[in-house]
Amino acid sequence: MDYSVLDFGALGNGSADDTAAIQAAIDACASAGGGRVVLPGGRTFRSGALALRSHMELHLEMGAVLKGSDRLSDYRLFGGDAPGKMAVPSYENCEYAGRPTHYFLCARDCEDLAITGLGRIDGNEAIFHGEATKWHIEGSFYPRAPLLFLENVSRLTIREVTLAASAFWTVHMVGCRDVLIDGIRILNDLRMANCDGIDPDHCQNVRIANCHIECADDCIVFKNTAHTMQYGPCENITVTNCTLTSTSAAIKFGSESEDGFRNIVIENCVISRSNRGISLQLRDGGNIENVSFQNLAIETRLFHPDVFWGNGEPIAVTVLPRKEGTKTGTVRNVRFSGIFCTAENGILLYAEEPGGISGVTFQDVSLRMRRATDYETGLHDLRPCAGPASTEKRSCWVYGKNASGIRFRDCSLLWDASMGPEPETPCRLEGCEDFRMEGG
């Protein structure tokens, strides 16, 4: 059964507060045992925070817009006071345990939930702005409101909708199981800090397919945050047929890594105009294992040398303590195959301690180094970490530290004249064991 929000008093004129009417439609649908809540096309509905329920589909018809309120107070639904402005910018320190104080759309402890349609959900990011430059917009406080916060949801579907103008993580899924995200668009401001695209956090059995994502910092980010350890690791996940643009990393693991990441496949994706292509970023105690990246095209360029993490690396695997005394996990059994990279920097495999990275294979990987910007390049970005923010030596095609059992098979390494003098060796290695280049 359909429940049109117009029948519950929504005006959809772009200025009236339709929060109560939309929530009434959602609650009526849930009370009847399920159905579809419809936002009709050709209208803009303004709303504060909404709570979604089990056995329902929120459907936005073509031309329908659900836009966040202009009042910050309308997003405070978890209770408590709003967090204050950070003492330092988020690119210097953005520790986050995974529990927001605000949100726009939320579902907790639900099953059989869908968000569908060819309409748009707009997070109204401008009301969360703090300091802004032509390269970077810092939020007025941290953490800010996710566009979708979905916790402990089973059988979740998000299909075809456009999600835009989020001021924080756009789709934050915590402890969700049996998830399908298919054909959505995420279009965020490439200057807005921390407006990640899709963040599976302690999630299992997730399929992400056919999506186009543009955002800062990262497009698709697997996380295991500290507040929700009861939901277990991120595992059994596929990402396929996506196009991605990011001011940090298009695909990232971490940096919140309190639990494990395993059995994850990323394939048939195109990464363009990104500050970093793939980043495996362990900073806490979890492990990354049994992960495959295949059939990818990666193009990186520097957005800004300071305000976004990454320094043009197409692939970066780093294992570093977040703070002094943190015991980190390990990266093992990871495969990169059939990947074409055009980048302003080389591949980075960097562990603070021996054994941090092992069993990584590069098969049929092409890396062409070329300049795309006028920013100074060559050093690798190590943030966030307890020590120096970057490596101290100029990179070549591959820089490895404390990595073992590494294989490059039938790979192609090309150096464009725009990069300056070609390095004398393809690899710079420190503390590495059983590191081989075979063929190519």
Side-chain angles (χ1 to χ4, degrees), residues 270-290:
V270 175
I271 296 168
S272 64
R273 298 182 298 114
S274 291
N275 207 29
R276 183 180 268 167
I278 297 166
S279 180
L280 277 58
Q281 199 173 64
L282 280 187
R283 297 297 182 269
D284 306 301
N287 300 318
I288 297 174
E289 56 188 338
N290 305 336

Side-chain angles (χ1 to χ4, degrees), residues 64-76:
V65 177
L66 176 61
K67 185 171 183 177
S69 168
D70 289 331
R71 297 184 298 270
L72 283 173
S73 58
D74 289 344
Y75 297 86
R76 192 174 304 165

Side-chain angles (χ1 to χ4, degrees), residues 119-318:
R120 175 184 294 246
I121 302 176
D122 185 317
N124 197 16
E125 54 135 319
I127 66 170
F128 297 93
H129 284 188
E131 182 179 346
T133 71
K134 67 179 181 179
W135 304 285
H136 181 262
I137 299 172
E138 189 63 69
S140 55
F141 58 90
Y142 185 96
R144 296 178 294 282
L147 192 73
L148 303 178
F149 184 77
L150 308 162
E151 181 177 355
N152 192 26
V153 179
S154 296
R155 298 180 297 281
L156 169 66
T157 300
I158 306 175
R159 192 190 298 273
E160 296 181 333
V161 295
T162 294
L163 308 176
S166 181
F168 200 59
W169 299 2
T170 307
V171 182
H172 185 188
M173 302 178 293
V174 183
C176 294
R177 299 162 301 281
D178 187 0
V179 176
L180 174 64
I181 300 178
D182 188 10
I184 74 169
R185 296 172 177 88
I186 296 179
L187 305 175
N188 288 337
D189 191 330
L190 288 174
R191 298 182 301 151
M192 185 71 206
N194 317 115
C195 64
D196 296 359
I198 300 172
D199 293 68
D201 185 356
H202 295 284
C203 291
Q204 297 88 41
N205 304 323
V206 178
R207 292 90 70 208
I208 301 171
N210 309 312
C211 298
H212 176 70
I213 303 174
E214 298 180 12
C215 63
D217 298 328
D218 312 294
C219 292
I220 298 174
V221 198
F222 306 104
K223 293 184 178 292
N224 288 305
T225 55
H227 270 326
T228 49
M229 294 291 288
Q230 70 270 25
Y231 294 120
C234 265
E235 62 182 352
N236 307 334
I237 298 172
T238 64
V239 177
T240 186
N241 299 339
C242 293
T243 50
L244 310 170
T245 295
S246 167
T247 48
S248 193
I251 300 285
K252 191 171 88 171
F253 289 59
S255 64
E256 294 83 0
S257 53
E258 297 287 353
D259 208 327
F261 307 86
R262 56 179 178 252
N263 305 333
I264 299 174
V265 175
I266 293 95
E267 61 181 359
N268 303 335
C269 294
V270 175
I271 296 168
S272 64
R273 298 182 298 114
S274 291
N275 207 29
R276 183 180 268 167
I278 297 166
S279 180
L280 277 58
Q281 199 173 64
L282 280 187
R283 297 297 182 269
D284 306 301
N287 300 318
I288 297 174
E289 56 188 338
N290 305 336
V291 178
S292 173
F293 300 87
Q294 57 194 30
N295 300 333
L296 308 178
I298 299 174
E299 176 210 6
T300 66
R301 49 147 295 172
L302 286 168
F303 271 80
H304 191 278
D306 299 319
V307 298
F308 289 108
W309 292 349
N311 205 15
E313 303 93 347
I315 298 169
V317 181
T318 57

Side-chain angles (χ1 to χ4, degrees), residues 23 28 32 45 63 102 137 160 199 210 262 324 329 375 427:
Q23 189 64 61
F45 300 89
H102 306 66
I137 299 172
E160 296 181 333
D199 293 68
N210 309 312
R262 56 179 178 252
E324 293 290 345
Y375 291 125
C427 300

